[in-house]
Amino acid sequence: MRAHRDDAHARSHEEDAVTETMTGAQILVQALEEAGVELIFGMPGGTILPAYDPLMDSTRLRHILVRHEQDAGHAAAGYATATGRPGVCMATSGPGATNLVTPLCDAAMDSVPVVAVTGQVIRPLLGTDAFQEADICGITQGITKHNWLVRSAVDIPRAIAEAFHVATTGRPGPVLVDIPKDVLQEHAPYVRPERIDLPGVPQTPRPHPRSLTQAAAALRAAKRPVLYAGGGIIKADAAGELMTFAELTGIPVVTTLMARGAFPRSHQQNLGMPGMHGTVPAVTALQQADLVLALGARFDDRVTGDPKTFARHARIVHADIDPAEIGKNRAVDIPIVGDARDVLTGLIEAVRQIGGPTPWPASGPWWDAIEALRAAHPMTYDRPADGSLAPQQVIERIGQLAGPDATYVSGVGQHQMWASHYLPLERPRSFLNSGGAGTMGYALPAAMGAKLAHPDTIVWAIDGDGCFQMTCRTLATCTVEGIAIKVAVINNSGLGMVRQLQSLFFDDRHFGVDCSTPQLPDFAALGEAYGGVGLRCDHAEDLDATIRKAMEINDVPVVIDFRVNQQEMVWPMIAAGASNDDIRIARDTAPTWDADY
């Protein structure tokens, strides 16, 4: 009788244990919920399908069905860039997973925290070239901070927790978690990780006080200092500290493409964007500086041009959260490893400890020379006499009517450069673009992610006709989900930046760049076909009315076909690999630097 009771008791415990287990798919959904995820951009397929069943029942996770996995990755990046929180995307195995490669590479280049979850073939088929098998962990090893192949359902919570930790610790970036289908189907208890212990992922170091003191002293002694602000300022939410430090010291500021908005465009100390298509004051100030204070920037080739001639007179103070970046592209005199906000906070204190009146270089030959450059070489463009549209005019007017409170997302090419110069970028996270990878097709899905992040904010996608055709299917998702982005197609009937390069460096021999005509495709009709509103504008007199009409529509996406001059080029320009000394403001026209400081 006692044995019978013991057997019954044992069976009862086993039954309780079974009722406490979950499928791997249920574990995945709960782990994502506990990570604070709100949105998942994804597309189902065979191996990830088990995860979609419990996802349907979740009251905390909203799934956004994209029409291509690349859109899921860019949308996750847009959400992450707009909020500073990780964006999440999901795909099936094989081609579904490999379609995430481009957005993961893009996120890696621009330090964007993206968590990708992919399905994989069942464990017994791994390595057999099974249907829709791809070694996505091997494929993405070089473009993610880390990736995981989860071989047991019980390990899913730990893998997800570690993925979010790695994506957001130190220099942000993308990660990937690959889960075989049978792992999603097996039962296991939910084992919540008590702590994240990853010895290979160092904690963000605090900047060394001695380095901060040395940097402040070097800045105090400099006669021609420049603050070179990169995207790390925005990643660290350090725009307020940047403003305090810049105004305290009086130092001229240049903001890279990835840092646009980190320092208000309208601020008197902002010289604009440096580099290949930078402003004359920004480029020349860096070339003539005797001290460059680089914060959260990486001295990439689009900024430095020929590295041997970049800022050749300057001592370099380089502060970055990633020690691998310091000294990688340019020798450094004073290295500082740390988060940009911590660095700026420390520099502000070090400057105040030096004492004396501030700002330091508020007047004198250096600022006089800069102001002379600014007066001689403002960012301007010519408006066509026949009343047709200049692309700069379209972008500038959108910015004036939408204002600095809007969020702007650009594609890649000429329109990206014009957007960086002519939009009212007054606040951080107001300008999203693909900087390091230069990914055409980025704008629409990233704008969708940004709009979902901030539903009450006006979001404009500034796109080219070439870029737009790569991801225009995003409009279907936007219509179905009620995501009312505005899309300005700067339609110059071709691949504008490639055409410009052929004009300048290939004797005007144009080939492979006419990807559309003003009539094919009909972008306004395409907007209507996807359930949105399509508009067209090709005359300056209709510009304001068209933009205002688009801004009145707030329930579906709007596509505006702005037909602009095909021959317009982006100026200033420095040829790839050339010295920044060779900046041109038009064909065969260079600025002069005659100031004596």
Side-chain angles (χ1 to χ4, degrees):
M1 189 71 177
R2 174 67 182 272
H4 176 74
R5 286 198 300 269
D6 287 346
D7 289 345
H9 185 68
R11 285 197 301 273
S12 174
H13 272 287
E14 289 174 1
E15 290 171 359
D16 289 344
V18 170
T19 59
E20 291 173 1
T21 64
M22 307 163 67
T23 67
Q26 292 170 324
I27 293 172
L28 172 63
V29 169
Q30 183 170 331
L32 291 171
E33 289 177 342
E34 292 187 358
V37 177
E38 300 171 335
L39 293 169
I40 298 175
F41 301 93
M43 191 171 189
T47 62
I48 196 64
L49 199 57
Y52 271 75
D53 187 64
L55 183 58
M56 181 179 180
D57 298 326
S58 175
T59 59
R60 296 166 61 182
L61 301 177
R62 179 183 177 186
H63 179 263
I64 304 297
L65 177 63
V66 298
R67 292 342 187 230
H68 191 284
E69 292 87 356
Q70 181 178 352
D71 302 347
H74 290 317
Y79 174 90
T81 304
T83 62
R85 302 190 299 272
V88 180
C89 55
M90 185 178 288
T92 195
S93 62
T98 59
N99 282 340
L100 291 176
V101 168
T102 294
L104 288 174
C105 177
D106 188 277
M109 292 288 282
D110 291 343
S111 304
V112 179
V114 170
V115 177
V117 178
T118 53
Q120 184 55 274
V121 299
I122 62 174
R123 285 168 289 185
L125 293 181
L126 288 171
T128 68
D129 292 332
F131 176 68
Q132 290 194 336
E133 181 189 6
D135 178 13
I136 194 61
C137 286
I139 291 169
T140 61
Q141 185 174 6
I143 55 171
T144 56
K145 290 185 70 177
H146 192 65
N147 54 41
W148 293 256
L149 174 60
V150 183
R151 294 180 178 270
S152 174
V154 74
D155 292 331
I156 291 175
R158 176 187 54 79
I160 293 297
E162 289 178 354
F164 279 84
H165 177 76
V166 171
T168 55
T169 299
R171 180 179 181 175
V175 296
L176 182 140
V177 180
D178 195 32
I179 311 176
K181 182 178 181 179
D182 57 332
V183 173
L184 291 171
Q185 292 171 320
E186 74 177 7
H187 284 78
Y190 189 95
V191 180
R192 184 178 292 106
E194 294 182 3
R195 62 190 179 93
I196 303 299
D197 184 17
L198 295 172
V201 182
Q203 297 298 312
T204 301
R206 301 286 295 181
H208 198 286
R210 183 173 58 191
S211 296
L212 295 171
T213 301
Q214 290 174 342
L219 178 62
R220 180 68 183 93
K223 295 182 179 179
R224 303 186 303 277
V226 176
L227 196 160
Y228 162 28
I233 299 292
I234 294 176
K235 299 295 186 297
D237 291 323
E241 288 77 8
L242 176 62
M243 174 73 78
T244 299
F245 179 74
E247 292 185 340
L248 177 66
T249 60
I251 189 172
V253 178
V254 302
T255 52
T256 66
L257 184 65
M258 301 311 299
R260 302 299 281 159
F263 195 68
R265 177 193 167 202
S266 61
H267 197 285
Q268 184 65 21
Q269 288 172 239
N270 193 341
L271 307 188
M273 184 175 75
M276 176 176 280
H277 291 292
T279 67
V280 173
V283 171
T284 311
L286 282 172
Q287 288 300 91
Q288 300 297 330
D290 65 356
L291 183 134
V292 172
L293 172 55
L295 298 175
R298 55 190 180 87
F299 292 91
D300 68 283
D301 63 297
R302 281 303 190 258
V303 168
T304 66
D306 180 359
K308 296 179 181 178
T309 64
F310 175 74
R312 61 171 67 86
H313 310 293
R315 297 186 71 197
I316 303 296
V317 180
H318 189 186
D320 202 280
I321 197 170
D322 184 356
E325 290 294 343
I326 297 178
K328 184 176 78 174
N329 296 325
R330 173 63 189 258
V332 175
D333 296 286
I334 302 175
I336 306 174
V337 179
D339 175 83
R341 177 188 278 183
D342 292 339
V343 170
L344 281 165
T345 300
L347 286 174
I348 290 167
E349 179 60 27
V351 167
R352 287 174 174 159
Q353 286 180 356
I354 290 176
T358 54
W360 292 331
S363 60
W366 182 229
W367 266 113
D368 291 345
I370 289 172
E371 294 297 352
L373 270 179
R374 209 152 30 187
H377 302 289
M379 288 298 300
T380 59
Y381 59 91
D382 295 325
R383 298 189 180 188
D386 61 1
S388 60
L389 289 172
Q392 304 96 317
Q393 177 185 12
V394 173
I395 294 169
E396 183 177 50
R397 197 64 185 135
I398 288 172
Q400 290 170 344
L401 293 177
D405 291 333
T407 295
Y408 303 93
V409 186
S410 85
V412 170
Q414 290 179 314
H415 62 280
Q416 178 186 25
M417 299 297 104
W418 289 320
S420 71
H421 286 304
Y422 292 106
L423 289 174
L425 306 177
E426 299 291 310
R427 59 181 181 84
R429 305 191 188 278
S430 63
F431 183 54
L432 285 60
N433 74 113
S434 171
T439 305
M440 293 178 67
Y442 168 89
L444 261 69
M448 177 176 71
K451 182 66 174 177
L452 284 165
H454 300 296
D456 296 329
T457 299
I458 296 172
V459 176
W460 276 91
I462 310 295
D463 221 356
D465 52 300
C467 289
F468 176 78
Q469 293 180 78
M470 293 190 175
T471 51
C472 59
R473 68 219 165 203
T474 303
L475 294 171
T477 302
C478 289
T479 297
V480 170
E481 297 286 348
I483 306 167
I485 61 173
K486 326 291 183 189
V487 184
V489 180
I490 309 302
N491 182 5
N492 60 5
S493 302
L495 304 176
M497 187 61 85
V498 179
R499 185 181 182 88
Q500 174 168 334
L501 296 176
Q502 289 179 339
S503 295
L504 296 176
F505 305 114
F506 294 89
D507 298 324
D508 287 304
R509 288 167 54 84
H510 300 128
F511 181 74
V513 292
D514 295 324
C515 62
S516 63
T517 72
Q519 291 78 35
L520 182 67
D522 185 329
F523 293 114
L526 194 60
E528 298 279 351
Y530 275 115
V533 173
L535 305 172
R536 183 178 297 110
C537 181
D538 51 12
H539 288 91
E541 63 184 6
D542 301 321
L543 182 57
D544 282 17
T546 305
I547 296 170
R548 288 194 172 100
K549 184 174 181 180
M551 291 179 62
E552 292 171 357
I553 299 167
N554 294 305
D555 55 346
V556 292
V558 183
V559 177
I560 313 175
D561 182 4
F562 289 107
R563 297 181 175 177
V564 300
N565 183 359
Q566 188 181 57
Q567 306 304 319
E568 195 69 31
M569 294 190 187
V570 179
W571 300 105
M573 182 177 177
I574 303 163
S579 170
N580 284 358
D581 294 334
D582 297 327
I583 186 172
R584 296 291 182 267
I585 55 176
R587 273 192 172 186
D588 303 318
T589 304
T592 57
W593 178 274
D594 297 324
D596 181 12
Y597 37 75

